[in-house]
């Protein structure tokens, strides 16, 4: 039962353009969502998060949008840079102390110079 | 900020042997540690949750006798893959929750290859 899904295994964009990575979830108990960036053979690096009481959170080039009614969130990266090329995971949790993360399958983003 | 040090980063072992992976919290106390496994091009799947001073909680389908977890102190959690087989080859990552504003701190991962 995949409660967090990233339906696009890969995405390729041109440098300077916008990258949009999508994520859907099924568990309505999730109330905290995170995006991580991961390189091969390394642990995930936190990018940005959003609580379910918000519908948007912005940090520099990264913006996360949350649509609770659709159980959908997206990560926008603008402008995209070649250094952004990595696998991006969305994750969700029930925001109680020490709660675990449920990850999506990941999307490989490639930003072409 | 909070750091989780994970060792080894890479290990190759023979079938039938056991491998121990360590995760240490360097500047904070981790009462809980999550252990994940990632197969190529797949998601990070939670294997088990270790709690300091008590038994670990395993996810459905994870063999507790094969993946031994010990959380003997507030700064050290270990995962031992016993009698490893080639199908255990994977990327194992630990994570401690609630340690910073971002919510979770991950180790750098261990690439296990069983030959």
């Amino acid at each position: 039962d995949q409660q967090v899904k990233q339906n696009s295994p890969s995405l390729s964009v041109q440098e300077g353009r916008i990258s949009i990575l999508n994520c859907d979830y099924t568990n309505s108990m999730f109330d905290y969502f995170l995006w991580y960036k991961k390189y091969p053979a390394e642990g995930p690096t936190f990018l940005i998060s959003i609580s379910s009481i918000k519908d948007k959170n912005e940090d520099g080039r990264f913006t996360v949008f949350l649509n609770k009614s659709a159980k959908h969130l997206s990560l926008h990266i603008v402008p995209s840079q070649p250094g952004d090329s990595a696998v991006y995971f969305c994750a969700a949790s029930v925001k109680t102390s020490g709660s675990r993360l449920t990850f999506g399958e990941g999307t490989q983003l490639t930003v072409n110079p | 900020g909070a750091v989780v040090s994970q060792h080894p980063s890479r290990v190759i072992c023979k079938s039938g042997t056991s491998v121990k992976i360590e995760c240490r919290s360097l500047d904070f106390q981790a009462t809980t540690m999550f252990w994940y496994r990632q197969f190529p091009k797949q998601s990070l799947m939670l294997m088990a949750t270790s709690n300091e001073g008590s038994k670990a909680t395993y996810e459905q389908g994870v063999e507790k006798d094969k993946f031994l977890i010990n959380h003997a102190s507030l700064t050290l959690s270990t995962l031992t893959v016993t009698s490893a087989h080639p199908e255990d080859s994977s990327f194992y990552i630990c994570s401690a929750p609630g340690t910073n504003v971002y919510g979770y701190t991950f180790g750098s991962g261990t690439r296990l290859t069983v030959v």
Side-chain angles (χ1 to χ4, degrees), chain B:
Chain B
V3 175
V4 172
S5 176
Q6 182 170 349
H7 293 281
S9 58
R10 184 182 297 267
V11 58
I12 301 173
C13 70
K14 292 185 177 180
S15 282
T17 61
S18 295
V19 173
K20 179 185 283 189
I21 301 169
E22 292 188 350
C23 278
R24 294 182 183 273
S25 55
L26 296 188
D27 49 5
F28 68 97
Q29 294 182 330
T31 57
T32 299
M33 191 74 75
F34 298 122
W35 286 93
Y36 294 87
R37 175 170 57 184
Q38 183 191 21
F39 292 108
K41 299 189 185 300
Q42 293 188 28
S43 179
L44 284 77
M45 299 299 296
L46 182 66
M47 299 175 62
T49 304
S50 72
N51 297 290
E52 187 269 335
S54 64
K55 289 185 178 181
T57 303
Y58 290 81
E59 296 301 301
Q60 189 173 9
V62 178
E63 300 175 58
K64 59 182 65 177
D65 293 332
K66 181 169 186 61
F67 299 99
L68 300 180
I69 289 175
N70 185 279
H71 198 144
S73 77
L74 289 171
T75 58
L76 176 64
S77 177
T78 62
L79 167 66
T80 302
V81 184
T82 63
S83 186
H85 291 283
E87 57 265 31
D88 298 324
S89 298
S90 187
F91 189 62
Y92 294 85
I93 312 175
C94 59
S95 172
T99 51
N100 54 37
V101 66
Y102 310 126
Y104 302 84
T105 301
F106 284 84
S108 54
T110 298
R111 169 69 63 193
L112 170 64
T113 303
V114 184
V115 298

Side-chain angles (χ1 to χ4, degrees), chain A residues 44-101:
Chain A
T45 303
F46 172 81
L47 279 176
I48 193 168
S49 64
I50 189 167
S51 167
S52 61
I53 62 174
K54 292 187 169 184
D55 55 18
K56 177 182 174 182
N57 188 25
E58 190 172 354
D59 184 2
R61 296 187 298 117
F62 302 93
T63 303
V64 56
F65 295 92
L66 175 62
N67 183 333
K68 282 182 292 183
S69 60
K71 293 191 177 68
H72 177 84
L73 63 154
S74 61
L75 174 67
H76 293 210
I77 306 173
V78 58
S80 301
Q81 299 172 355
D84 296 329
S85 298
V87 177
Y88 288 77
F89 288 95
C90 70
S93 73
V94 178
K95 197 180 178 185
T96 55
S97 176
S99 59
R100 63 196 220 180
L101 293 175

